[in-house]
Amino acid sequence: MNIIIATYKEYDIKNLDNLKTIFPYFNFYLINDKNKLTLTYIKNIKPKYIFFPHWSYYIPKEIYENYECIVFHLGDLPFGRGGSPLQNLIIRGIYKSKISALKVCDVLDGGDIYLKYNISFKYFSAQKIYEKISRIIFTKLIPQILTLDVKPYKQKGKVLVFKRRKPNQSNIKTINNINIRKIYDFIRMLDAKDYPTAFLEYENIKIYFKNAKFKNNIIQAKVEIYEK
């Protein structure tokens, strides 16, 4: 059986190596360049599944209509469709949710559900949480889909769509009803590679916050100060 994994995240690629060890009788192909996600390339592989962990690029209709394409999304769908799901959950004070494995379709995060898996994220940085999500995808969700006869089902419930966050929303001053816990959550939810870091501005000075620790109602964090 041929399987395609489409991802450009280092932690996904590392976990893919472990998946290959668990399933040596499957042929795994990695697509880590969006320009390779073409019908011509995929036709040559003839995959049973195409999995998209942490994939934020457009998936062509001609691909998901001809192959079984499965994307993974943080959220108990249909609650929390859309962009920046981790940040949108944490900023609402939600620390428990599910990772949904769903079929790709023409509605963003609106496809049929294969599986859901519980996850909590009350502490730790976004980077560590993303790595945790990756481990769950590669050790729990993908193996179950590959070995069990999982039938996808329609999403049920009220739809809530999250908006993708913008860089200017990383300003700590945007926090509503601010308190110590909210500041900690704000710093850590933005603390990931290639993500707009939490910051404060004062005249010509910009202050960035990372590596937040929260204990005894006190935040300790790494601070970087730059002159604009």
Side-chain angles (χ1 to χ4, degrees):
M1 184 188 297
N2 294 338
I3 310 294
I4 291 177
I5 305 290
T7 183
Y8 51 92
K9 298 294 186 180
E10 293 178 1
Y11 41 77
D12 285 335
I13 295 172
K14 179 181 178 181
N15 286 319
L16 172 57
D17 290 337
N18 295 331
L19 192 66
K20 290 178 179 178
T21 302
I22 298 171
F23 296 101
Y25 41 88
F26 290 162
N27 299 312
F28 290 94
Y29 297 83
L30 172 65
I31 293 179
N32 58 0
D33 181 350
K34 63 179 180 179
N35 295 319
K36 284 188 176 181
L37 189 66
T38 65
L39 188 61
T40 301
Y41 180 75
I42 290 171
K43 278 181 176 179
N44 292 327
I45 298 174
K46 299 177 182 178
K48 169 64 176 176
Y49 298 105
I50 307 176
F51 293 108
F52 294 86
H54 296 106
W55 185 264
S56 57
Y57 300 117
Y58 172 72
I59 301 172
K61 185 176 182 179
E62 61 185 10
I63 292 176
Y64 67 73
E65 285 191 343
N66 288 284
Y67 296 92
E68 197 159 359
C69 295
I70 301 173
V71 69
F72 302 89
H73 184 80
L74 176 60
D76 190 4
L77 296 174
F79 179 92
R81 294 179 183 176
S84 309
L86 176 63
Q87 291 72 27
N88 277 296
L89 288 168
I90 290 178
I91 207 165
R92 288 168 169 78
I94 299 173
Y95 305 128
K96 291 182 179 181
S97 189
K98 297 180 184 292
I99 303 169
S100 298
L102 64 148
K103 193 170 186 177
V104 178
C105 70
D106 57 352
V107 177
L108 180 63
D109 302 322
D112 294 352
I113 302 292
Y114 289 84
L115 295 167
K116 292 183 179 182
Y117 195 90
N118 292 331
I119 185 172
S120 61
F121 36 86
K122 190 172 183 178
Y123 298 98
F124 303 114
S125 68
Q127 182 68 28
K128 289 185 177 180
I129 295 167
Y130 290 145
E131 291 171 3
K132 180 180 180 180
I133 291 171
S134 177
R135 288 193 297 272
I136 291 172
I137 289 172
F138 281 89
T139 64
K140 303 296 182 181
L141 296 174
I142 291 179
Q144 288 187 56
I145 293 171
L146 292 179
T147 56
L148 302 176
D149 186 22
V150 180
K151 302 296 185 183
Y153 58 90
K154 298 291 183 182
Q155 295 186 24
K156 296 180 181 180
K158 185 178 180 180
V159 176
L160 176 66
V161 179
F162 290 149
K163 292 183 179 180
R164 185 173 297 279
R165 291 179 62 86
K166 299 177 181 180
N168 66 322
Q169 291 178 291
S170 294
N171 192 328
I172 291 175
K173 289 183 179 180
T174 63
I175 301 175
N176 295 321
N177 302 315
I178 194 166
N179 59 40
I180 290 293
R181 175 72 211 202
K182 287 185 177 181
I183 295 173
Y184 166 69
D185 281 342
F186 195 84
I187 295 170
R188 73 186 182 93
M189 78 180 196
L190 303 172
D191 191 358
K193 187 177 180 181
D194 302 325
Y195 209 90
T197 307
F199 69 89
L200 282 172
E201 290 181 305
Y202 180 74
E203 295 182 354
N204 64 324
I205 299 298
K206 198 165 187 176
I207 308 168
Y208 292 95
F209 299 85
K210 296 181 179 181
N211 300 336
K213 302 292 187 294
F214 187 55
K215 188 176 181 181
N216 298 326
N217 214 36
I218 296 173
I219 299 172
Q220 293 182 336
K222 179 182 178 181
V223 177
E224 297 179 354
I225 304 173
Y226 296 89
E227 189 171 10
K228 293 191 291 184

